[in-house]
Amino acid sequence: MSYDHSFVVAKFAPKKSASWTSYYGVRAAALLSTRPFLALRMPLVHIGLQEPSDPPCYVLFLVSGRKPEGLNDNSYFALGPASDQESKILHVRPGPLLCPDGRTLYVHTFPKLFEDELVPEPVPVAAEFSHHLDNSDFLTFCRSVLEQPGRIQANTNARYSGGEDSVPVDWDSWSGQSPREGLNERFGYVFEYLRAETFDFSSLESPSIYEELLLYKQLTAEYSWSGVTEAVSWACRIRKFPCAPQRTLAPPFTFTGKIPTVSSDLMAAAFLLNSMKIPFDGDPVPAADEEPEIEWDDGPDSSFPFPRHKAATPPSHIKVVAFDLLDTIFDRNTPIVDALRLLAPSLDKRRLLEVFVECEGLRHRDHPHVPHIRGTLGDVCARLGVDCSNSMLGDALHAILRPGLHAEAEEAVKMLSDRGYTLLALPLPDADSFSSSLPPLPCGITLPAEPLWTNTSGSRWFTQTPHIVFSELLERAREKHPDVDGSQILVVTSGPYRVAEPANAAGFPVALIRRPGSLEPQVDVGTYDPTLVATGLRDLCAQLEPTRGPIQPTPPVKRPFPRMRPFRVCDLYQATRVLGSGSFGNIYGAFHVLTGEEVALKVEMPTGKPDETCVLPYEAQVYRLLRGHTGIPFLRWSGMDGGAHVLILDKLGVNLQQLRRLCRGTLSLRSVCALALQMLDRIEFAHSRGVVIRDIKPENFAMGVGARAGAVHLFDLGLAKLFVDPRTGQHIPPREGRVGLGTPRYASYNVHFGREQSRRDDLEALGNVLLFLLHGRLPWQGIYAPSIEAKLLRIGEMKAGAPFRELLARSPPEFTRYFEHVRGLGFEDKPGYTLLVRIFRERMEREGWAEDGGCFDWVGGAVSPNLKGTLVPDEYKWGRRVHVGGLGHSR
Ligand SMILES: Nc1ncnc2c1ncn2[C@@H]1O[C@H](COP(=O)(O)OP(=O)(O)OP(=O)(O)O)[C@@H](O)[C@H]1O
């Protein structure tokens, strides 16, 4: 069917929009009151202004919370509960256009829309016009468009613009490039004009006004440049359909004054419009481009004493130097690495240390009264999947308990002692284990006679040296210097969070030793403030040289994480940023305070309502069940901390939805095939452990980071379920009338009709996900239905019927084979994973596509990192580089 179709999508783009074109852009944009909105093209016959027998005439309506002004003063219909004075009310029953707060919407009409009758002079913009698109703008825009017929069809450039970048003159956006087009300069917004004169809708959805609404919806849903880009790319695809010669809009027509009746189409449009957020008069102008402070109002309860900023300190002011022995004087890391290398020779040194330190900290937290080093070794082996004999463990333990001295220790200690400093040591953690195996301390340092605090119940010395140590230290220092105060005792440590933070909080200056390659984290969240930073003990001595002049305080560092109240989980993981939000709480990026290793924290705060159960403990069980596959993030710890349920998981990279956006909306068949192989593998693994995922969607698959950047990971297992009864080993029985779970866009056909999900449903959902990644859109997206139930039913019908068949017809044949298999499976049937893998692998082999990490569209420079519209999380961008999949490239 041929359909005349013109539409305009208008969008305000705040200046510096690029700054919120980011992972957080969507969140920030939700607070902006300037939103993209739509000039609707409506057939006049739909609103009773034309007879069906007349040649069809269309008009663009602008729906706005503001009345038109200037020459078009009177050209509007008020929708909904207008005031008594309103003469023209477009009566809509039962009032779909009513705004929840009772304000009125106006449909701007168009008496002088057409070329010859456009207003002779530009209409002055009312002084108070700040951020609403009003009728005069609209007219100017229309004139600009109509003056240049054909330009759009000729132009194949991308159709987006804005932000601070200049806009190429030949783009068909209306973007302030000429003096005539001054609106953009003043208000910083951009019009997108998308015009498809005649095209064939038959292979798309049924022709209706919803095509435009769909664009609008997409824009409002994903308000960022990516939203625009997606909408525009969608429109561009439509535009690929053969275009008939351009026609101008139908002859001018005169408004008769007759109040129109509402046709069902308009009614439906009105329902959709009602769900849109259109700015109203008096809405506040958005505050610049500030990102909102992310409030942490449901997180674990923890607070930090922040250090005061220090003044310059003359070395002579320091009377006592107190060493934290671990890793400043004693070298504990080398023996740990040596010991672990015996157990897992192939692993990288740093990784071994990270695993050991993490296991040690968690073990100590959960079993504070049990000797921990042997237990830690056991945990390390379990974590690395290595089998060790008792004698191997014994050897490793022996090595770990024999730390040597750092090479420079003797010399440095002597030098400081010769300069007259009193040298003390903080008590050594776990002194009992070490007592017989330590080498003698360099001459001049005194240990406390009795390390009181190591036996403190639940002591947390792995992360925080307790406050009691510092009062004890002050007492010991006063034995030699009765008048000394805390500011004269320099604590030397390599542990920023283990020692520097509590020392600062207790009022002691700190010298932070950062040896090259040290394990301690480099991330500074502003909770400590070292007086000096040295690369080793020799450097420390040089900086404490009396003739050198006062030690200048380190300049304040620009803290990278100001937007969140800092909190720490298990005293070991410092949260730094929000990675995402889920239905039950937030997911935070965090790092281990002793190793700097990055992790993700999934946090759920119980509401306290008796009838509500928390889901994270359940999800933790599923993660435990699925341990052992590298394509599923490892659950490092789960439990209650600070009153919240917490999962500590491997940190992942960008999810497939974000990557699809990064790649401008669609992925190539090559990427889709390569992803399919990995995704099938993860799902097969879950099924092999008796688990159905029930929430297969692109957002729940993410690439790894670092060395695992080419691997797809399956996560978010909160909806997963055992399909095998663990007591009987039997498959669960089929059931009807189940509540639909998962995401309707991708869910299997069965889910829409209330059937219990089994393995086949995960695989059907995977098929839908792959089609979505390939096409960028599924036919049932954005359809209209009067209620959610009706919509779910309608989507189900589409999945079962012609729209799905048409989708397959325009997809590579592999998908037909794939769906033939998965839709042919019975409830209990085991899917033919090998067959499904073969379908995609054969295609890859035929095409000569390698399956390596470089096969994805986003790797290796195929996608320009700085294109607007990408949703690459900030952590993947720095300067003009982007690192996706671990392979960075410059523009
Ligand atoms: N391990 C992780 N590493 C990095 N980011 C993550 C991780 N886990 C979750 N995220 C981010 O947080 C978002 C939400 O996480 P998740 O899907 O687990 O939460 P949810 O509450 O189950 O969400 P939903 O309601 O969408 O199912 C994800 O889309 C992802 O961007």
Side-chain angles (χ1 to χ4, degrees):
M1 174 175 178
S2 217
Y3 193 64
D4 184 355
H5 190 84
S6 304
F7 50 88
V8 175
V9 178
K11 178 180 183 296
F12 291 104
K15 296 223 162 135
K16 294 192 186 155
S17 59
S19 67
W20 42 263
T21 302
S22 72
Y23 193 47
Y24 296 108
V26 178
R27 182 187 288 264
L31 298 180
L32 293 173
S33 57
T34 51
R35 292 166 199 280
F37 55 102
L38 186 76
L40 296 172
R41 180 207 45 75
M42 284 203 190
L44 293 184
V45 67
H46 281 176
I47 50 171
L49 296 177
Q50 261 200 319
E51 293 301 323
S53 52
D54 291 343
C57 181
Y58 301 92
V59 69
L60 296 170
F61 284 96
L62 177 74
V63 181
S64 161
R66 182 186 176 89
K67 282 186 204 172
E69 293 170 352
L71 286 181
N72 291 311
D73 238 342
N74 224 11
S75 310
Y76 64 88
F77 296 121
L79 300 172
S83 66
D84 287 339
Q85 297 93 314
E86 298 286 6
S87 55
K88 295 180 294 179
I89 301 175
L90 185 61
H91 291 281
V92 182
R93 298 279 177 251
L97 280 167
L98 302 195
C99 303
D101 58 0
R103 288 188 290 180
T104 305
L105 282 175
Y106 300 94
V107 174
H108 295 209
T109 55
F110 43 80
K112 301 200 171 81
L113 185 66
F114 304 117
E115 201 168 5
D116 292 336
E117 295 182 49
L118 278 172
V119 286
E121 299 294 330
V123 180
V125 176
E128 74 275 16
F129 174 74
S130 53
H131 64 287
H132 297 306
L133 177 67
D134 73 4
N135 202 43
S136 57
D137 301 330
F138 182 54
L139 284 176
T140 318
F141 170 61
C142 290
R143 180 164 64 173
S144 152
V145 168
L146 291 170
E147 272 170 8
Q148 301 181 54
R151 179 176 128 185
I152 290 115
Q153 281 80 358
N155 185 358
T156 53
N157 279 343
R159 268 98 176 140
Y160 48 89
S161 63
E164 290 180 309
D165 299 359
S166 61
V167 179
V169 251
D170 58 341
W171 283 14
D172 60 357
S173 17
W174 197 59
S175 52
Q177 284 300 296
S178 78
R180 188 170 55 81
E181 297 173 340
L183 285 166
N184 187 51
E185 277 156 22
R186 269 181 294 157
F187 305 116
Y189 61 72
V190 178
F191 285 113
E192 279 301 334
Y193 176 70
L194 305 168
R195 191 183 178 98
E197 283 297 330
T198 303
F199 55 88
D200 184 2
F201 268 108
S202 58
S203 63
L204 294 168
E205 297 164 14
S206 54
S208 78
I209 200 162
Y210 306 132
E211 267 38 309
E212 292 119 302
L213 293 172
L214 203 139
L215 276 176
Y216 181 88
K217 268 186 71 183
Q218 188 137 10
L219 286 170
T220 47
E222 303 183 80
Y223 185 50
S224 74
W225 282 106
S226 83
V228 175
T229 312
E230 251 183 48
V232 171
S233 73
W234 183 86
C236 288
R237 277 205 297 283
I238 289 181
R239 244 186 267 158
K240 283 189 194 144
F241 287 92
C243 286
Q246 189 179 5
R247 285 168 29 198
T248 50
L249 294 172
F253 103 104
T254 320
F255 175 56
T256 60
K258 192 175 136 208
I259 293 175
T261 55
V262 181
S263 80
S264 58
D265 262 9
L266 179 60
M267 193 75 165
F271 270 109
L272 278 183
L273 275 171
N274 195 36
S275 65
M276 299 173 183
K277 296 178 184 136
I278 296 169
F280 282 87
D281 281 359
D283 279 352
V285 180
D289 59 347
E290 289 265 304
E291 244 185 66
E293 185 100 343
I294 296 167
E295 284 291 323
W296 170 270
D297 53 5
D298 60 349
D301 189 18
S302 67
S303 54
F304 291 101
F306 286 92
R308 298 170 298 274
H309 190 62
K310 293 175 190 56
T313 320
S316 56
H317 178 77
I318 304 287
K319 300 260 180 293
V320 178
V321 176
F323 289 96
D324 155 38
L325 298 175
L326 212 82
D327 216 27
T328 49
I329 300 290
F330 291 129
D331 173 10
R332 185 170 179 248
N333 290 350
T334 308
I336 292 177
V337 171
D338 290 346
L340 296 184
R341 282 211 142 166
L342 299 176
L343 308 179
S346 59
L347 271 191
D348 158 76
K349 273 196 210 169
R350 187 176 173 94
R351 181 80 202 118
L352 285 173
L353 258 183
E354 280 172 359
V355 174
F356 182 88
V357 172
E358 183 171 44
C359 290
E360 184 178 43
L362 288 175
R363 171 156 279 270
H364 197 75
R365 179 192 190 277
D366 291 341
H367 311 281
H369 305 295
V370 180
H372 64 274
I373 296 188
R374 181 179 275 275
T376 299
L377 279 172
D379 294 347
V380 172
C381 290
R383 173 85 170 269
L384 301 177
V386 289
D387 238 353
C388 286
S389 64
N390 270 345
S391 75
M392 282 166 86
L393 285 180
D395 290 350
L397 185 67
H398 186 74
I400 289 174
L401 290 176
R402 272 177 180 61
L405 284 183
H406 271 293
E408 52 184 4
E410 296 271 12
E411 179 194 339
V413 167
K414 180 163 186 321
M415 201 180 287
L416 293 175
S417 170
D418 289 350
R419 282 190 204 153
Y421 291 110
T422 299
L423 304 183
L424 296 178
L426 299 185
L428 191 70
D430 209 14
D432 287 349
S433 310
F434 285 107
S435 55
S436 59
S437 53
L438 284 176
L441 276 175
C443 184
I445 305 185
T446 28
L447 262 177
E450 199 179 334
L452 290 174
W453 57 281
T454 48
N455 295 326
T456 312
S457 138
S459 72
R460 296 167 168 186
W461 55 262
F462 276 101
T463 47
Q464 296 267 295
T465 302
H467 202 275
I468 178 176
V469 169
F470 296 101
S471 24
E472 195 189 318
L473 180 66
L474 188 60
E475 271 174 37
R476 285 171 52 216
R478 284 188 175 155
E479 287 167 12
K480 290 237 169 166
H481 307 274
D483 298 332
V484 81
D485 68 33
S487 73
Q488 295 171 301
I489 303 174
L490 183 71
V491 175
V492 180
T493 181
S494 64
Y497 298 98
R498 191 166 44 81
V499 175
E501 191 181 82
N504 271 176
F508 290 75
V510 166
L512 194 61
I513 307 294
R514 283 201 190 282
R515 292 200 170 87
S518 131
L519 189 67
E520 304 278 3
Q522 306 288 312
V523 197
D524 177 0
V525 291
T527 51
Y528 64 93
D529 191 4
T531 299
L532 67 88
V533 179
T535 54
L537 294 181
R538 275 192 204 110
D539 184 25
L540 171 76
C541 294
Q543 294 195 45
L544 285 177
E545 178 68 58
T547 55
R548 246 175 88 116
I551 305 163
Q552 295 301 326
T554 44
V557 180
K558 190 173 182 311
R559 314 288 178 201
F561 313 112
R563 293 183 196 289
M564 217 182 68
R565 204 178 101 196
F567 71 94
R568 209 166 279 174
V569 169
C570 298
D571 287 330
L572 287 166
Y573 301 90
Q574 169 68 49
T576 51
R577 61 168 63 204
V578 179
L579 289 176
S581 302
S583 356
F584 312 110
N586 286 339
I587 288 86
Y588 298 88
F591 64 90
H592 192 284
V593 294
L594 299 186
T595 67
E597 199 194 351
E598 290 196 90
V599 294
L601 308 176
K602 191 163 182 176
V603 179
E604 179 182 14
M605 201 70 187
T607 58
K609 294 184 191 153
D611 51 341
E612 274 182 21
T613 27
C614 290
V615 291
L616 285 202
Y618 176 83
E619 191 173 351
Q621 299 278 21
V622 183
Y623 270 112
R624 276 198 200 96
L625 210 56
L626 297 186
R627 265 187 184 164
H629 193 295
T630 50
I632 293 172
F634 182 79
L635 177 69
R636 290 145 190 260
W637 186 85
S638 70
M640 292 288 282
D641 198 75
H645 291 284
V646 183
L647 304 191
I648 303 174
L649 293 158
D650 286 348
K651 179 154 179 273
L652 303 174
V654 201
N655 69 41
L656 296 189
Q657 179 71 299
Q658 291 164 332
L659 286 167
R660 181 187 67 87
R661 289 184 186 140
L662 171 71
C663 298
R664 323 300 289 168
T666 53
L667 298 183
S668 67
L669 182 60
R670 177 182 179 171
S671 286
V672 171
C673 287
L675 288 173
L677 298 181
Q678 293 202 38
M679 291 160 96
L680 275 166
D681 172 69
R682 308 328 180 222
I683 295 174
E684 181 182 0
F685 173 76
H687 291 177
S688 74
R689 298 265 166 115
V691 172
V692 267
I693 305 298
R694 305 200 298 179
D695 195 14
I696 297 288
K697 57 181 180 182
E699 292 87 342
N700 286 351
F701 287 92
M703 305 311 289
V705 287
R708 298 206 35 84
V712 181
H713 295 74
L714 167 65
F715 66 105
D716 186 5
L717 305 173
L719 294 183
K721 174 180 175 172
L722 283 179
F723 67 89
V724 178
D725 183 333
R727 287 158 306 183
T728 61
Q730 298 295 305
H731 197 292
I732 50 167
R735 283 194 288 179
E736 302 279 333
R738 310 292 293 154
V739 179
L741 277 183
T743 312
R745 190 189 290 179
Y746 312 106
S748 73
Y749 158 82
N750 284 314
V751 174
H752 291 273
F753 298 96
R755 296 186 188 125
E756 179 83 70
Q757 299 192 48
S758 67
R759 288 172 281 188
R760 61 180 181 180
D761 300 287
D762 276 353
L763 291 167
E764 185 174 332
L766 175 66
N768 289 332
V769 167
L770 296 173
L771 284 172
F772 173 74
L773 296 174
L774 184 73
H775 294 288
R777 184 161 195 88
L778 293 171
W780 39 88
Q781 277 177 256
I783 58 163
Y784 167 73
S787 65
I788 292 182
E789 291 75 23
K791 192 164 184 167
L792 290 178
L793 217 57
R794 175 92 189 94
I795 296 178
E797 282 161 2
M798 290 178 82
K799 285 178 182 170
F804 183 73
R805 284 196 297 278
E806 283 158 15
L807 175 67
L808 280 188
R810 61 189 165 88
S811 307
E814 282 72 20
F815 286 92
T816 308
R817 285 174 63 199
Y818 181 95
F819 277 97
E820 259 168 22
H821 177 76
V822 296
R823 285 215 172 158
L825 290 168
F827 177 70
E828 293 192 11
D829 287 351
K830 181 176 178 189
Y833 304 102
T834 322
L835 170 93
L836 298 177
V837 165
R838 202 182 320 127
I839 293 176
F840 294 104
R841 182 158 287 141
E842 276 174 8
R843 178 68 190 249
M844 292 193 77
E845 281 167 8
R846 246 195 343 272
E847 303 282 353
W849 292 332
E851 249 181 71
D852 57 15
C855 60
F856 298 115
D857 295 344
W858 54 87
V859 174
V863 178
S864 171
N866 289 327
L867 276 181
K868 286 191 214 107
T870 64
L871 279 188
V872 190
D874 288 343
E875 63 220 84
Y876 288 84
K877 296 179 185 168
W878 58 93
R880 295 184 68 78
R881 281 175 165 266
V882 64
H883 280 232
V884 177
L887 296 172
H889 54 270
S890 318
R891 213 179 166 190

